[in-house]
Amino acid sequence: MSDALAFMMGEFRAEFPIDRFYADNHMWALPLDGVIRFGFTAYAVRLLQDVYFLDWAFDAPRDVTRRQEIGSIESKKAESSLYCPISGQLVRFNERLMKDPSAVNVDKYDQGWLLEIAGPPDELLSPQQYVTFLDKAWEKTQRTIKGQMNE
């Protein structure tokens, strides 16, 4: 991928396009005509491994707040709640993912997008800020991963 920053997750290279912003909950954010489209970063997809189920807690449109629980996800490695990356109006979910969430795994920066929110990008990080954020969190993440493998 050209025009991207990279972060090494052990042997795996996670790439982050520089044409968008990033949230600290490992979502990318691409501004589009009055909304911001969000999806999982390569980092999140690598940790989740093989997303096979998504469920939203409510229908769009709806006002949401940052860190509000908006749904859940199941994958080969994890079952987790999903939280809103910013406050605003959740305009729509990617309905195609409800039938087949595999696009999250294979086309994370395009067809695998999750949702669109009309709201300010105030809390979002630049690509470089996101990579710095990952650098700081990587040691703890590795300990968590190793702990899961030892269970």
Side-chain angles (χ1 to χ4, degrees):
M1 177 183 300
S2 62
D3 296 333
L5 295 179
F7 179 79
M8 294 305 295
M9 300 172 69
E11 304 275 320
F12 180 76
R13 178 183 171 93
E15 294 192 342
F16 309 104
I18 60 173
D19 67 345
R20 56 200 76 203
F21 297 98
Y22 294 86
D24 62 6
N25 68 344
H26 306 296
M27 288 187 186
W28 54 263
L30 184 62
L32 299 167
D33 298 326
V35 298
I36 302 172
R37 179 173 283 178
F38 290 91
F40 289 125
T41 66
Y43 180 91
V45 171
R46 176 65 179 175
L47 291 179
L48 289 166
Q49 292 189 15
D50 196 23
V51 172
Y52 58 80
F53 181 76
L54 281 169
D55 187 34
W56 304 115
F58 47 79
D59 293 327
R62 177 157 177 170
D63 289 340
V64 291
T65 58
R66 185 170 186 254
R67 301 194 192 285
Q68 174 183 346
E69 187 172 337
I70 57 173
S72 61
I73 186 169
E74 291 181 32
S75 72
K76 179 178 176 183
K77 291 284 186 184
E79 192 173 311
S80 180
S81 294
L82 294 174
Y83 298 93
C84 197
I86 64 171
S87 295
Q89 183 176 56
L90 195 148
V91 177
R92 71 179 177 141
F93 293 107
N94 185 347
E95 292 299 325
R96 284 184 279 173
L97 295 183
M98 296 306 289
K99 294 180 187 90
D100 180 13
S102 67
V104 169
N105 307 310
V106 296
D107 196 10
K108 63 193 135 299
Y109 291 117
D110 190 22
Q111 297 302 308
W113 64 273
L114 298 170
L115 51 101
E116 293 178 343
I117 299 173
D122 301 345
E123 304 280 340
L124 299 175
L125 307 170
S126 71
Q128 186 58 56
Q129 288 171 318
Y130 182 62
V131 169
T132 299
F133 172 76
L134 293 178
D135 277 333
K136 292 177 182 174
W138 181 238
E139 188 175 323
K140 180 180 178 184
T141 301
Q142 288 181 90
R143 284 194 308 269
T144 302
I145 293 169
K146 288 175 183 168
Q148 288 173 352
M149 289 191 303
N150 293 329
E151 291 178 353

